[in-house]
Amino acid sequence: MPEGDTIFRSARALHRALAGKIVTRFETAYAHLASVDDDKKIAGRTIVRVEARGKWLLMYFSGDLILVTHMRMNGSWHLYRTGERWRRPRRDMRIVIDTADWSAVGFAVPVAEFHSGASLLRKTMIPAPDQDLLKQNFDFVGVVAAMQEHADEQIADVLLNQKVMAGIGNVYKSETCFMCGVNPFWQVRTLDPSQLQQLVFMARK
């Protein structure tokens, strides 16, 4: 599964290419997305921004519409210049968003939903911006405090808890514990605050 750094880079590339551009065409293999497009046409809207929140990628359109996607194991977003040949077969296509000069294609994306700003707030699986390790406004103090609320759990499990801090998967969980000299099977209660702070700092780094 892509970890937070991969999704961060994908969101950054999509944002740089698409932010401020008008959608010229929207296509999807998903009926639930197509029904939203039928009611609230995506073509003609402006792409306001694209951001990552942990392992989730969010694309904001004008008119209070947000496309939320999660890659799980095999999904990915590709960027192509208009008319450029795709690097994956069309059968893997799930979403296409065209602008005048770019095409964003979601291949094998297993989770894709449209939300308004209000409904996004109710989507508890999607972390808040300040829980994302790579956000500038990352809440360092709040995350350490949240870790301490899981005192009886193994630190490896807490590092993977996307509601504590978002973005870490198995690779960075393991590397973070190794770099900090922390046994991943230790309970959080056995670690002092300075060790927890070091883990968070190393994970973010």
Side-chain angles (χ1 to χ4, degrees):
M1 180 184 293
E3 300 197 26
D5 62 320
T6 300
I7 304 303
F8 176 85
R9 289 195 298 270
S10 295
R12 182 174 58 188
L14 289 165
H15 178 83
R16 288 174 175 171
L18 303 177
K21 304 290 180 64
I22 295 173
V23 178
T24 58
R25 185 176 72 96
F26 177 82
E27 181 183 354
T28 181
Y30 288 132
H32 64 283
L33 298 184
S35 67
V36 173
D37 183 44
D38 288 341
D39 294 336
K40 304 177 179 181
K41 289 295 182 186
I42 311 304
R45 293 176 184 260
T46 299
I47 301 168
V48 179
R49 71 180 190 276
V50 184
E51 71 164 342
R53 293 199 195 174
K55 300 177 185 180
W56 294 84
L57 189 145
L58 287 68
M59 187 178 295
Y60 294 77
F61 299 90
S62 58
D64 190 27
L65 195 62
I66 307 160
L67 176 63
V68 176
T69 56
H70 194 292
M71 304 303 106
R72 289 192 178 162
M73 294 300 294
N74 299 313
S76 61
W77 278 98
H78 289 199
L79 265 174
Y80 299 98
R81 290 286 186 180
T82 300
E84 184 180 357
R85 184 176 180 179
W86 293 356
R87 294 186 299 276
R88 290 187 62 170
R90 183 171 180 81
R91 66 176 177 271
D92 292 342
M93 181 277 288
R94 300 295 179 269
I95 306 164
V96 178
I97 299 167
D98 286 343
T99 67
D101 49 357
W102 288 100
S103 182
V105 187
F107 289 108
V109 175
V111 180
E113 303 170 351
F114 276 119
H115 284 277
S116 65
S119 68
L120 183 64
L121 290 174
R122 297 193 294 270
K123 187 76 173 178
T124 57
M125 291 179 63
I126 300 173
D130 60 1
Q131 292 173 304
D132 187 311
L133 274 165
L134 297 179
K135 282 284 193 292
Q136 289 186 345
N137 62 340
F138 175 67
D139 184 4
F140 192 98
V141 174
V143 164
V144 172
M147 294 172 76
Q148 292 174 313
E149 294 176 3
H150 297 264
D152 294 328
E153 297 179 34
Q154 295 175 356
I155 186 60
D157 292 337
V158 175
L159 288 173
L160 290 176
N161 187 332
Q162 302 298 295
K163 293 183 179 180
V164 174
M165 65 179 153
I168 292 184
N170 280 312
V171 173
Y172 282 114
K173 169 208 74 177
S174 301
E175 292 298 320
T176 297
C177 288
F178 177 79
M179 293 296 291
C180 294
V182 169
N183 187 319
F185 300 107
W186 286 347
Q187 290 182 321
V188 172
R189 67 167 65 254
T190 67
L191 301 170
D192 61 44
S194 65
Q195 288 176 299
L196 295 177
Q197 291 167 11
Q198 184 187 22
L199 284 164
V200 177
F201 175 82
M202 185 60 67
R204 180 171 164 84
K205 183 179 179 181

